[in-house]
Amino acid sequence: MTNFPLINLEKLSGEERNDTMEKIKDACENWGFFELVNHGIPHDILDTVERLTKEHYRKCMEERFKELVASKGLDAVQTEVKDMDWESTFHLRHLPESNISEIPDLIDEYRKVMKDFALRLEKLAEQLLDLLCENLGLEKGYLKKAFYGSRGPTFGTKVANYPPCPNPELVKGLRPHTDAGGIILLFQDDKVSGLQLLKDGQWVDVPPMRHSIVVNIGDQLEVITNGKYKSVEHRVIAQTDGTRMSIASFYNPGSDAVIYPAPELLEKEAEEKNQLYPKFVFEDYMKLYAKLKFQAKEPRFEAFKASNFGPIATV
């Protein structure tokens, strides 16, 4: 199998721009994932985010997780656990308004650093969306506008730690799923692995790499691109040694944004693609996703085919 796609964003400003854009295109069409280096977020900021995240887990969350595991008997399971994940998490919301000041147990330095990190990730996500527009032949800003809704995009971060697990063959760190939203930017542990994606029927490791940002396509981009780019099933394998840090930031449509295939892409592909993706309000999709996250995405799309929006214009 070919190597996991690695994109050097610095090369966009040089002679290798065309090659780099082609690599991004190939990654979006054939992997649904790629790894970014030289992405513009300073390494010292990433190091501080990692240090404070790991300190916060040790001080505020590790003991709670151990108590939860003990209370549910997860440390002594004999059969596969299919309704829980071996992870310790909390969530931050950045857009349309931040909730960082409301999250308990965060020290002021951590709040400040995460706020700054989120601003930089938001800018990077919007840069990536415009690169996708360029590759798709859509006007600059189309995807950001498609996500906008009445109050702008939704943007939030899931901060997760995956502690050592005594029975990784029986308990997943995170069960297989696709991501419901738009574009996802992940800053992950560079020493402890575990993230895998499904490619050509095989689970493939997403390699840990220091100071990189892993990017993946969510369900909404699959719909807007009319299936040209696809969200890909992925999972986290629990490890027996080491705690894996995962900071995943989700740049998603606004709750009232109406999502549908870009008419320009339908026009180009009308002859070869008869089955259109549905048209729906993002919030409605998320309500369904909350019930069916760990099931196949296709039934979610099918559920909206009979909605009241009717067919998409291809003019």
Side-chain angles (χ1 to χ4, degrees):
M1 184 175 287
T2 53
N3 292 333
F4 188 86
L6 181 65
I7 310 295
N8 183 348
L9 275 193
E10 271 188 349
K11 293 187 176 180
L12 285 174
S13 56
E15 294 178 358
E16 296 181 67
R17 178 182 171 81
N18 289 344
D19 286 347
T20 303
M21 290 298 289
E22 189 59 36
K23 285 181 181 178
I24 294 173
K25 178 174 178 286
D26 179 72
C28 290
E29 290 181 356
N30 297 308
W31 287 80
F33 272 77
F34 53 92
E35 197 152 9
L36 288 180
V37 293
N38 296 319
H39 40 64
I41 300 178
H43 290 179
D44 62 330
I45 289 177
L46 295 175
D47 290 340
T48 303
V49 167
E50 180 174 359
R51 174 177 61 81
L52 292 174
T53 298
K54 291 182 174 181
E55 284 178 5
H56 176 262
Y57 173 72
R58 285 194 297 269
K59 289 178 183 176
C60 302
M61 301 183 75
E62 187 171 27
E63 198 55 42
R64 287 182 215 161
F65 181 76
K66 288 177 180 176
E67 290 170 4
L68 174 69
V69 165
S71 71
K72 296 191 175 292
L74 289 176
D75 48 351
V77 292
Q78 302 292 319
T79 57
E80 186 175 1
V81 177
K82 296 183 178 180
D83 60 351
M84 283 191 68
D85 302 304
W86 191 270
E87 63 174 359
S88 173
T89 68
F90 67 93
H91 295 81
L92 302 173
R93 186 177 65 247
H94 313 300
L95 296 175
E97 63 275 316
S98 173
N99 73 342
I100 290 182
S101 63
E102 303 163 19
I103 304 297
D105 302 329
L106 302 185
I107 62 173
D108 288 344
E109 182 188 8
Y110 193 22
R111 292 183 205 275
K112 183 178 177 183
V113 165
M114 290 303 281
K115 214 166 197 173
D116 176 57
F117 185 41
L119 286 171
R120 294 172 186 273
L121 286 171
E122 179 189 344
K123 183 178 176 184
L124 178 58
E126 291 176 351
Q127 177 189 358
L128 290 169
L129 287 177
D130 276 343
L131 293 175
L132 267 54
C133 284
E134 185 177 337
N135 271 338
L136 290 162
L138 298 171
E139 64 177 339
K140 186 177 181 180
Y142 180 93
L143 290 171
K144 182 180 176 182
K145 187 177 176 183
F147 282 17
Y148 207 77
S150 62
R151 301 177 64 203
T154 305
F155 187 45
T157 297
K158 174 187 173 183
V159 181
N161 283 276
Y162 297 91
C165 177
N167 297 297
E169 69 283 356
L170 298 178
V171 188
K172 292 285 185 296
L174 183 59
R175 288 162 286 167
H177 64 287
T178 63
D179 288 329
I183 191 166
I184 299 88
L185 285 71
L186 169 69
F187 175 40
Q188 67 167 344
D189 205 291
D190 68 315
K191 295 179 180 67
V192 183
S193 63
L195 178 61
Q196 296 182 328
L197 64 91
L198 190 63
K199 179 167 172 57
D200 302 328
Q202 294 185 329
W203 289 105
V204 178
D205 290 329
V206 177
M209 184 179 296
R210 189 157 174 75
H211 298 138
S212 72
I213 299 289
V214 176
V215 179
N216 71 285
I217 301 293
D219 293 349
Q220 307 311 302
L221 282 179
E222 177 168 339
V223 173
I224 294 171
T225 65
N226 200 37
K228 195 172 183 67
Y229 298 166
K230 286 189 167 59
S231 60
V232 169
E233 199 172 346
H234 52 285
R235 67 182 184 182
V236 175
I237 297 298
Q239 306 292 332
T240 53
D241 297 306
T243 296
R244 176 179 175 267
M245 178 199 75
S246 164
I247 303 175
S249 296
F250 301 80
Y251 189 100
N252 293 345
S255 59
D256 63 350
V258 179
I259 302 301
Y260 55 91
E264 293 90 336
L265 299 181
L266 289 183
E267 188 176 21
K268 290 175 185 174
E269 301 178 8
E271 290 181 4
E272 52 189 285
K273 292 210 173 185
N274 298 319
Q275 192 170 0
L276 303 182
Y277 283 78
K279 186 178 188 181
F280 51 79
V281 175
F282 179 61
E283 185 175 34
D284 293 339
Y285 187 87
M286 288 305 294
K287 288 176 183 174
L288 184 64
Y289 180 83
K291 301 174 190 173
L292 305 173
K293 175 177 178 177
F294 297 108
Q295 297 180 30
K297 64 188 171 183
E298 289 79 11
R300 299 197 291 265
F301 294 147
E302 289 297 326
F304 286 103
K305 287 266 181 84
S307 72
N308 296 324
F309 280 108
I312 311 300
T314 58
V315 183

